[in-house]
Amino acid sequence: HPNKAVISLESDRGTSYGTYISVQNEIVGAYSFLRNRLALKQYGKSFDELSRASEKDLSNESLKAQVEDIKEKYPQIISEAEPFK
């Protein structure tokens, strides 16, 4: 279940910074994909569109509620462990 899923990212000291960032970006991209797909299905707009619109119109409670609904259904829970030897 998405609310119980935790992505654990662990590297070793030899991992390049570029590789680490690339993996992080893939994880965030997967969350974006899932959130966008659900938002389109439920609200007819991507999560990205809803987020941008709610940031522009801070008084629109409906948009805020939609964004929070999607975030609750697909919370971005990423655990980053200390690098090992």
Side-chain angles (χ1 to χ4, degrees), residues 17-27:
Y17 183 73
T19 299
Y20 183 80
I21 294 300
S22 177
V23 171
Q24 257 189 341
N25 287 342
E26 289 296 321
I27 293 169

Side-chain angles (χ1 to χ4, degrees), residues 51-64:
S51 294
R52 282 192 299 272
S54 71
E55 289 170 4
K56 286 181 182 176
D57 186 359
L58 297 174
S59 64
N60 191 328
E61 294 300 319
S62 175
L63 283 173
K64 284 188 208 177

Side-chain angles (χ1 to χ4, degrees), residues 7-73:
I7 304 296
S8 181
L9 179 58
E10 187 175 325
S11 63
D12 66 32
R13 297 200 188 282
T15 303
S16 73
Y17 183 73
T19 299
Y20 183 80
I21 294 300
S22 177
V23 171
Q24 257 189 341
N25 287 342
E26 289 296 321
I27 293 169
V28 171
Y31 276 109
S32 293
F33 172 81
L34 293 170
R35 287 175 170 181
N36 282 327
R37 184 178 66 181
L38 181 60
L40 281 168
K41 182 178 178 182
Q42 287 191 307
Y43 304 115
K45 291 184 179 180
S46 73
F47 179 76
D48 295 334
E49 290 174 306
L50 292 173
S51 294
R52 282 192 299 272
S54 71
E55 289 170 4
K56 286 181 182 176
D57 186 359
L58 297 174
S59 64
N60 191 328
E61 294 300 319
S62 175
L63 283 173
K64 284 188 208 177
Q66 291 172 354
V67 168
E68 288 306 311
D69 177 52
I70 299 299
K71 283 182 177 180
E72 284 177 19
K73 289 181 176 154

